[in-house]
Amino acid sequence: MIGIFHVFMWYFLLVLYKGQIKGAFGIYEPITYKTGCTLWGIFFIIAGVFIIAVTKYPTRSAKLGREVSRILLFFYPLEFSVALTYSVCSCSNLFRRQSDLTSVAEEAENTF
């Protein structure tokens, strides 16, 4: 399902991208084409096919796959915590930069 969604979204963005007209800022180039969004969808579809085949006919490689899954399940929360920490630190820097500026209400009071 995820793979089909990726492929269809890539196609939808392709249709939108081809129908653009050049505006004041140029033509928008979607990042999904540069990152290969449709390839992600194809990989998800192929992975789903392999998972279904392995569950029907389990082999010795299925044990290895389970071990890899356990390792990945450990690293997913680790990756999430690193991304969350990075975003919180980045957002806190935004508020520090604005502390030097005066607010709109203070500016309005100073003009009267």
Side-chain angles (χ1 to χ4, degrees):
M1 294 291 268
I2 294 173
I4 294 170
F5 175 77
H6 274 277
V7 171
F8 282 141
M9 285 305 295
W10 180 82
Y11 179 73
F12 176 68
L13 286 173
L14 178 68
V15 170
L16 290 177
Y17 179 65
K18 292 292 183 186
Q20 287 187 61
I21 57 172
K22 187 171 183 176
F25 299 108
I27 294 178
Y28 169 71
E29 294 182 13
I31 195 165
T32 53
Y33 298 120
K34 295 179 180 177
T35 58
C37 183
T38 187
L39 294 176
W40 282 70
I42 292 170
F43 287 135
F44 281 127
I45 292 170
I46 291 172
V49 169
F50 282 132
I51 288 172
I52 291 171
V54 167
T55 55
K56 287 184 179 179
Y57 308 104
T59 60
R60 295 176 74 194
S61 64
K63 292 181 182 180
L64 177 65
R66 284 188 215 115
E67 293 300 320
V68 170
S69 295
R70 287 185 188 130
I71 293 170
L72 290 176
L73 285 175
F74 170 74
F75 282 106
Y76 287 149
L78 180 66
E79 180 183 1
F80 176 75
S81 62
V82 167
L84 183 67
T85 305
Y86 178 75
S87 62
V88 167
C89 291
S90 296
C91 288
S92 67
N93 287 338
L94 290 174
F95 292 119
R96 286 187 201 150
R97 291 180 192 152
Q98 292 180 356
S99 64
D100 298 338
L101 303 175
T102 58
S103 67
V104 175
E106 290 174 358
E107 288 290 329
E109 289 175 3
N110 290 338
T111 57
F112 291 116

